[in-house]
Amino acid sequence: MRNKFVLLLQYSLSVVLLMACQPQGFVRGGGPSASLEEPSQTATREEKPRAVPQRENGPEVPDTPADREPTVKAEAEKPEQPDTKASDKALAQWCRAISERLFSVSTEHCQDRGFVDSGYRSVHNRIIAVRELPAEQQSQIGRVLLIGGTHGDELTSVSLSFWWLDMIEEAPRAIAWQVAPVMNPDGLLTEPAQRVNANNVDLNRNFPTQDWRTESRAYWQEVGKKPRRYPGETAASEPETRWLVNAVETFKPDVIVALHAPYGVLDYDGEYPPPLKLGELVLYRLGVFPGSLGNYGSRFLGIPVMTVELKHAIRMPSRE
């Protein structure tokens, strides 16, 4: 199992070495989004991660079953079967809106990528689109779920999702992929773009983790009740969170890769030894938080979560 994981992670990492390149501007000019303030690249992190037990020179040790709270489980909400015409219209609107926001994605390019309707909608009824790419080789080594745009103001995470998808399509595939470039379309497409969704909930603090009920609200108070960190009224209260809970349940990934910005590090949560470097991004384990995807995936479900923290939230690395 360990060898399988190492091969899987190395393969998935190999398609994003472009992050060592120089950044270039990519936000559409002339509109409100052009005035987005990127979080300071030198600022200290706003949050303090919970202490995570560590093995000597190894990964975190999951808490024992006796130490855990009763399992917190999201509603087993299943998406409605989307109407084909309505889905096509929603996908076309989604591509146009993303193209208007980002220089790096044209409407035509987006529409040619083969996205499908997940059946889930955001708070403002925007589509959550996905693309599945099956492994081409019989000796499939695993399944990877790739997620961008969890935080709407991290525009580079959306653009990189599209770039990553292009590279997956061009290379021989030993891995099955599911790619969702925009988990939080309302946050991305509002003016100006914002971290939280339309209900002002931080989706990366809303997952149904073991510690959500006892620690999420106290932790939010601990960080000064910052609106950007609000975990929601209940675990998995948001439709975007419930989409991802369902995606993990149905796609059954071996690894989850989440794209974020702007801390410029490679974060990792999981049982197996982590990669030490990705281009210029060096491993720096940020810890787990109540309701975070890293916490939910690695500690609750046993799925390794790799978080690629780009150096810039609104400036992409160059392809050159």
Side-chain angles (χ1 to χ4, degrees):
M1 179 65 182
R2 172 172 172 168
N3 289 338
K4 172 186 175 180
F5 169 76
V6 172
L7 283 171
L8 185 60
L9 196 56
Q10 287 176 343
Y11 189 94
S12 59
L13 282 172
S14 68
V15 296
V16 284
L17 292 176
L18 57 91
M19 277 180 283
C21 301
Q22 294 298 313
Q24 61 181 7
F26 84 111
V27 180
R28 291 285 186 193
S33 59
S35 63
L36 281 171
E37 292 186 7
E38 183 173 5
S40 169
Q41 304 302 309
T42 58
T44 57
R45 191 169 179 83
E46 293 180 2
E47 299 177 280
K48 296 178 181 178
R50 294 297 187 192
V52 180
Q54 301 286 319
R55 293 177 184 167
E56 185 177 356
N57 300 321
E60 66 191 55
V61 179
D63 31 350
T64 63
D67 294 332
R68 296 179 180 175
E69 299 177 43
T71 298
V72 180
K73 191 166 181 65
E75 291 293 325
E77 175 184 295
K78 301 299 180 184
E80 296 181 4
Q81 285 294 332
D83 174 79
T84 302
K85 289 185 178 180
S87 292
D88 290 346
K89 181 178 180 181
L91 283 165
Q93 292 173 338
W94 179 78
C95 283
R96 284 196 298 271
I98 290 175
S99 176
E100 290 170 0
R101 173 64 80 190
L102 306 175
F103 274 130
S104 57
V105 181
S106 70
T107 300
E108 294 76 16
H109 182 76
C110 177
Q111 291 177 332
D112 289 342
R113 295 280 66 77
F115 290 108
V116 297
D117 185 350
S118 69
Y120 282 84
R121 295 294 184 269
S122 68
V123 174
H124 284 334
N125 203 38
R126 291 186 171 103
I127 195 170
I128 297 179
V130 300
R131 172 74 189 279
E132 286 199 23
L133 298 101
E136 296 175 334
Q137 303 176 14
Q138 290 184 348
S139 56
Q140 174 181 307
I141 63 173
R143 303 167 70 81
V144 177
L145 176 61
L146 174 66
I147 306 156
T150 304
H151 296 141
D153 58 355
E154 297 170 2
L155 281 69
T156 48
S157 72
V158 178
S159 280
L160 186 61
S161 298
F162 279 90
W163 285 15
W164 200 327
L165 179 57
D166 290 345
M167 288 182 286
I168 294 169
E169 290 182 321
E170 293 168 3
R173 288 195 301 277
I175 290 176
W177 295 81
Q178 185 175 101
V179 180
V182 189
M183 179 182 174
N184 181 9
D186 294 344
L188 174 69
L189 299 174
T190 193
E191 297 289 359
Q194 63 185 28
R195 174 184 175 96
V196 293
N197 75 344
N199 285 337
N200 295 314
V201 172
D202 181 350
L203 299 178
N204 204 29
R205 300 295 178 268
N206 189 240
F207 288 97
T209 56
Q210 300 281 0
D211 56 359
W212 196 96
R213 179 173 56 83
T214 57
E215 296 191 31
S216 63
R217 194 56 58 90
Y219 190 55
W220 181 51
Q221 293 174 348
E222 185 180 316
V223 297
K225 287 190 175 181
K226 288 182 172 65
R228 287 167 53 84
R229 311 288 178 179
Y230 178 57
E233 288 298 318
T234 59
S237 60
E238 305 310 298
E240 301 91 346
T241 311
R242 294 194 294 273
W243 160 74
L244 188 47
V245 168
N246 178 261
V248 171
E249 179 181 334
T250 55
F251 182 66
K252 302 186 186 310
D254 298 294
V255 175
I256 299 171
V257 178
L259 305 179
H260 283 272
Y263 293 107
V265 299
L266 185 65
D267 187 20
Y268 174 79
D269 300 294
E271 180 181 355
Y272 299 102
L276 300 179
K277 191 175 182 182
L278 173 60
E280 291 183 348
L281 304 183
V282 177
L283 178 68
Y284 183 84
R285 299 181 74 167
L286 299 170
V288 294
F289 306 92
S292 70
L293 177 58
N295 187 345
Y296 177 66
S298 69
R299 306 185 86 184
F300 185 23
L301 301 177
I303 302 172
V305 178
M306 182 177 69
T307 302
V308 177
E309 280 274 355
L310 294 163
K311 290 185 175 181
H312 300 272
I314 60 173
R315 286 188 292 157
M316 275 294 289
S318 171
R319 290 189 193 235
E320 300 301 324

